[in-house]
C-alpha cells in the first residue's frame, strides 16, 4: 500500500494504461502492485507500446491513460508532469571507443549510435538538441525501436546509445554496459501522464492516476528510478 495515500474503497472499474517500452522496467510491476494494494476493485490492464503507437490509442479512447514524453506535441491531451530523466551515453563495457568520462554532445553524436526510429522514444529529443546546438545529425548506424533488440545490439558491440539508464538497469548493474553523462550540455526528457481532453475520465481512471503520481514520487525519492528527478506537485492529476 502506498504510504500516506488514501483511496475510497468503493472505486471500481477497468483502466487500460499505456506504458512505453523504455519506462516499463521502472514502472510496470510497481504500478501493478500499487494499484492492487490501493484499489482492490480496479482492474488494471497494462499495454506496452512504442510511444508513437500510444498517442493514437489515447486519442481514440482505446486506452484511458498513457505515459508519454513531452516533445511539444501533447497539447491535444490533458497532461500532468511526473519527472525528468537524464539521457546518458550507454556503451558496451569493453567498447574501445567508449569515453571514460563526460562527453560533449558533439562527440557523442559522432559515435556509432543505435537509436529508436523517429518519431519514437528519445529520437525527437536528440535530433532537436542537435539542431538547436547547430550540430550535425546523430551518426545512427541502426534504427531499433525495440528495447530488447537495442539491448542485445549494445551487448554485441554494435554501437552506443543515448537513453535514460532504467531500461538497461540490470546490464549496468552487472557491468556489461556502462554510462557517462553528456556534459557540459545536458539531455533530458520529461515524463508526462496523459489522458484525453475529450473523453471524460472515470473515477477509477482518476484514482489510478493518483496512485501513479504517489508511486513515482516514492520511486524517485528512494532512488529506484535511476536518473529520475521528481517534478513535485500536490495537485492531483486531471482534477481541477
Amino acid at each position: 500500500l502506498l504510504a500516506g495515500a488514501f483511496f475510497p474503497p468503493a472505486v471500481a472499474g477497468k483502466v487500460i494504461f499505456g506504458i512505453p517500452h523504455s519506462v516499463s522496467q521502472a514502472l510496470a510491476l510497481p504500478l501493478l502492485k500499487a494499484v492492487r494494494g490501493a484499489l482492490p476493485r480496479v482492474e488494471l490492464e497494462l499495454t506496452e507500446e512504442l510511444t508513437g503507437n500510444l498517442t493514437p490509442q489515447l486519442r481514440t479512447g482505446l486506452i484511458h491513460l498513457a505515459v508519454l514524453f513531452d516533445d511539444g506535441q501533447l497539447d491535444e491531451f490533458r497532461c500532468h508532469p511526473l519527472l525528468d530523466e537524464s539521457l546518458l551515453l550507454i556503451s558496451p563495457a569493453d567498447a574501445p571507443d567508449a569515453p571514460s568520462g563526460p562527453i560533449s554532445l558533439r562527440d557523442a553524436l559522432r559515435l556509432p549510435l543505435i537509436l529508436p526510429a523517429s518519431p519514437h522514444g528519445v529520437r525527437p529529443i536528440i535530433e532537436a538538441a542537435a539542431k538547436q546546438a547547430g550540430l550535425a545529425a546523430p551518426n545512427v548506424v541502426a534504427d531499433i525501436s525495440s528495447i530488447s533488440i537495442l539491448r542485445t545490439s549494445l551487448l554485441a558491440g554494435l554501437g552506443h546509445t543515448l537513453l535514460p539508464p532504467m531500461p538497461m538497469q540490470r546490464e549496468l548493474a552487472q557491468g556489461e554496459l556502462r554510462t557517462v553523462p553528456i556534459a557540459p550540455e545536458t539531455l533530458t526528457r520529461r515524463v508526462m501522464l496523459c489522458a484525453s481532453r475529450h473523453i471524460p475520465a472515470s473515477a477509477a481512471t482518476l484514482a489510478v492516476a493518483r496512485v501513479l503520481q504517489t508511486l513515482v514520487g516514492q520511486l524517485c525519492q528512494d532512488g529506484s528510478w535511476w536518473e529520475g528527478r521528481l517534478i513535485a506537485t500536490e495537485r492531483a492529476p486531471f482534477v481541477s
Side-chain angles (χ1 to χ4, degrees):
L1 190 64
L2 296 177
F6 172 77
F7 303 96
V11 174
K14 181 173 182 177
V15 177
I16 306 175
F17 197 117
I19 298 183
H21 294 301
S22 61
V23 170
S24 181
Q25 173 73 19
L27 201 56
L29 184 58
L31 181 60
L32 283 170
K33 290 180 176 179
V35 170
R36 176 178 289 185
L39 301 167
R41 298 182 62 194
V42 170
E43 178 187 354
L44 180 64
E45 178 182 332
L46 295 184
T47 178
E48 186 182 26
E49 287 274 7
L50 298 171
T51 52
N53 296 340
L54 290 173
T55 301
Q57 293 182 47
L58 188 62
R59 182 184 300 128
T60 57
L62 290 176
I63 58 178
H64 304 116
L65 292 168
V67 170
L68 299 173
F69 308 119
D70 187 4
D71 58 359
Q73 306 295 318
L74 298 180
D75 290 346
E76 66 177 297
F77 302 117
R78 290 192 291 168
C79 294
H80 183 86
L82 295 172
L83 73 152
D84 289 326
E85 285 185 297
S86 294
L87 275 61
L88 308 177
L89 180 72
I90 303 178
S91 306
D94 57 355
D97 57 349
S100 58
I103 185 173
S104 69
L105 180 59
R106 180 187 301 273
D107 290 340
L109 295 176
R110 289 172 173 170
L111 290 171
L113 294 175
I114 306 167
L115 295 177
S118 188
H120 301 297
V122 301
R123 188 64 170 271
I125 296 171
I126 296 167
E127 292 179 345
K131 184 177 180 179
Q132 183 175 6
L135 301 175
N139 176 27
V140 179
V141 296
D143 293 295
I144 298 177
S145 295
S146 161
I147 287 293
S148 61
I149 299 174
L150 198 155
R151 179 187 297 113
T152 302
S153 301
L154 288 174
L155 294 173
L158 299 184
H160 313 257
T161 195
L162 290 165
L163 280 178
M166 277 306 300
M168 309 294 171
Q169 184 182 38
R170 183 180 63 182
E171 291 74 20
L172 290 167
Q174 293 175 346
E176 297 173 282
L177 299 174
R178 57 179 171 143
T179 67
V180 298
I182 308 299
E185 309 92 337
T186 57
L187 283 178
T188 61
R189 72 175 179 185
R190 176 153 293 186
V191 180
M192 309 286 281
L193 177 62
C194 301
S196 172
R197 285 191 184 276
H198 310 293
I199 302 173
S202 68
T205 296
L206 294 174
V208 169
R210 189 61 192 267
V211 168
L212 178 70
Q213 178 189 33
T214 306
L215 173 64
V216 167
Q218 293 181 0
L219 294 175
C220 289
Q221 290 166 7
D222 68 17
S224 298
W225 196 311
W226 290 7
E227 294 292 327
R229 293 178 300 283
L230 180 67
I231 302 172
T233 174
E234 294 298 320
R235 181 174 59 86
F238 317 130
V239 176
S240 301

